[in-house]
């Protein structure tokens, strides 16, 4: 049974015809080509598939499309076009936060979610803010440093 | 072809679907979407019809009604942790449920109705004598959480009912000291290995007028026993120490952990000892750590 689901994706109206139980993650990657959103664990543990739904960070592997009707979804492809997104991405690059890169879209979404509610977090708060995101390369230190760098450089953006 | 999923537009339609198709509600999806996933690109398959209810405003909202806190079944852990209306132990339990991304999705209704013995929110809710409001096409009824939680993954929810809201009665006089501790592995997204919520009320004469304690992940059901609690009620707080061994043995008797029983029993004992012995010293701060 398929249904038409309408929502906003990165500021544009989109309409998808699919099973209401299909995961938002699969629709983003397969139907809409937003492959910046990654799948790793598929059970909400790793944060690689994080996006913003109405401004709040969520893991798309756990969201059925029926729950997306009328929502505003922001993926890394949308965030990177904003001033905040550019600031974060430059800080991640300059701070050496990226190794294999697989977790980074989710990390950047988590960083945006954190800074939106707390523009000047402490290191401890940054670690708490990205605690739902796993990275197997960096050991996290450079990611934490880069988020702090973005927080300093982006004074007033958040 | 039989429909396997529904998106009701209002409560009336949701209750009718529940009655006619037996569809079960899905809100946050943090348990159900994972339990029934089938891999990348494949639509999750449920063994029963489901209805998506996260869009229904009727399940939202945290309100104060006649001195009682009413939490809509569709309220997320994040909404609960930031609400100043909600009692501290419930906010604390909500704030420790996984990462922010999970707390933005997971709902109190799912956490209660899933009836996992390791669920986090039912532990303080049981301690606070919470009630549930259940609705069906035939009407509305209330049931205590204690009666609702029948066993592991088993509740008293009828096949035609939906959980509407969780009601937390006021505590008067307020508890003097409170305790909540969740023991898990990775802080983000850890399932509780063990949890304990406790509270004690001491009057101006130093008498214990109320004591409550509930344990999660320590048996097939969240554990609480009023008779055991009463062993510490009506005594001077200074007598706690001499009552402690008998009380701890009795409390141990209401636990029935299957895996790692020695660990769960001894950790519970140590937490209760610590909470009660600290309360005897009458610290200024009401939340004991």
């Amino acid at each position: 049974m398929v249904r038409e689901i309408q929502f906003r994706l990165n500021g544009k109206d989109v309409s998808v015809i699919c099973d209401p139980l299909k995961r938002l993650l699969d629709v983003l990657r397969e139907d809409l080509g937003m492959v910046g959103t990654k799948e790793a664990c598929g059970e909400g543990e790793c944060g690689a598939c994080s996006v913003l739904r109405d401004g709040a960070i969520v893991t798309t592997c756990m969201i059925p499309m029926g729950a997306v009707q009328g929502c505003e979804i922001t993926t890394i492809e949308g965030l990177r076009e904003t001033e905040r997104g550019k600031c974060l991405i430059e800080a991640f690059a300059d701070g050496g936060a990226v190794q294999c890169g697989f977790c980074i879209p989710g990390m950047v979404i988590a960083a945006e979610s954190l800074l939106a509610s707390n523009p000047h977090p402490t290191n401890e708060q940054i670690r708490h803010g990205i605690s739902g995101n796993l990275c197997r390369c960096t050991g996290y230190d450079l990611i934490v440093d880069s988020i702090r760098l973005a927080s300093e450089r982006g004074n007033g953006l958040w | 072809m039989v429909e396997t999923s529904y998106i009701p537009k209002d409560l009336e339609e949701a209750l009718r679907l529940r009655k006619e198709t037996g569809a079960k509600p899905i809100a946050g999806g943090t348990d159900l979407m994972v339990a029934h996933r089938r891999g990348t690109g494949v639509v999750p398959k449920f063994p029963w019809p489901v209805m998506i209810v996260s869009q229904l405003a009727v399940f939202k909202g945290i309100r104060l009604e006649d001195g009682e806190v009413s939490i809509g079944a569709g309220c997320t852990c994040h909404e609960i942790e930031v609400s100043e209306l909600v009692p501290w132990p419930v906010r604390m339990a909500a704030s420790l449920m996984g990462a922010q991304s999970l707390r933005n999705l997971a709902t109190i209704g799912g956490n209660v109705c899933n009836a996992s013995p390791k669920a986090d929110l039912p532990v303080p809710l049981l301690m606070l004598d919470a009630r549930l409001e259940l609705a069906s096409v035939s009407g509305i009824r209330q049931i205590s959480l204690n009666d609702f939680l029948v066993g592991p993954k088993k509740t008293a929810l009828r096949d035609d009912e939906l959980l509407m809201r969780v009601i937390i009665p006021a505590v008067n006089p307020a508890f003097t000291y409170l305790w909540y501790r969740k023991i898990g592995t990775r802080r983000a997204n850890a399932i509780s290995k063990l949890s304990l919520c406790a509270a004690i009320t001491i009057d101006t004469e130093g008498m214990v007028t109320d004591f409550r304690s509930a344990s999660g992940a320590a048996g097939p059901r969240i554990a609480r026993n009023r008779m055991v609690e009463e062993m510490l009620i009506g005594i001077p707080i200074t007598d706690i120490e001499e009552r402690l061994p008998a009380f701890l043995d009795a409390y141990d008797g209401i636990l029935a952990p299957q895996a790692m029983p020695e660990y769960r029993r001894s950790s519970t004992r140590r937490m209760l000892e610590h909470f009660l012995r600290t309360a005897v010293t009458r610290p200024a701060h009401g939340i004991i750590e």
Side-chain angles (χ1 to χ4, degrees), chain A residues 1 3 19-23 26 30 39 41-45 53 56-59 62-64 66-67 128 131-132 134, chain B residues 1 3 5 7 28-30 33-34 37 39-41 43-44 46 50 52 54 99-101 104-105 186-189:
Chain A
M1 184 68 197
R3 231 178 267 249
D19 189 308
L21 292 176
K22 188 169 183 179
R23 303 181 306 171
D26 293 323
E30 296 182 354
E39 175 166 22
C41 74
E43 53 188 50
E45 289 273 347
R53 182 176 74 174
I57 184 170
V58 290
T59 41
M62 303 195 292
I63 299 182
H128 188 249
S131 64
L134 296 181
Chain B
M1 184 182 154
E3 278 209 69
S5 64
I7 311 176
T30 56
M33 287 295 281
V34 173
R37 74 195 172 108
T40 306
V43 178
F46 290 75
V50 296
I52 294 166
S54 50
Q100 184 72 52
S101 49
N104 284 337
L105 290 171
R186 178 178 164 223
R187 198 187 303 167
N189 301 2

Side-chain angles (χ1 to χ4, degrees), chain B residues 60-76:
Chain B
K60 288 300 208 179
I62 301 175
R63 284 178 280 274
L64 204 57
E65 289 175 6
D66 304 325
E68 301 186 312
V69 180
S70 161
I71 304 176
C75 288
T76 64

Side-chain angles (χ1 to χ4, degrees), chain A residues 114 121-131 144 147-148:
Chain A
L114 168 70
T122 63
N123 274 8
E124 191 58 31
Q125 288 167 333
I126 293 173
R127 286 182 185 277
H128 188 249
I130 60 168
S131 64
V144 173
I147 294 173
R148 205 183 49 246

Side-chain angles (χ1 to χ4, degrees), chain A residues 101-113:
Chain A
F102 192 87
C103 72
I104 295 300
M107 283 288 180
V108 173
I109 293 281
E112 160 63 23
S113 169

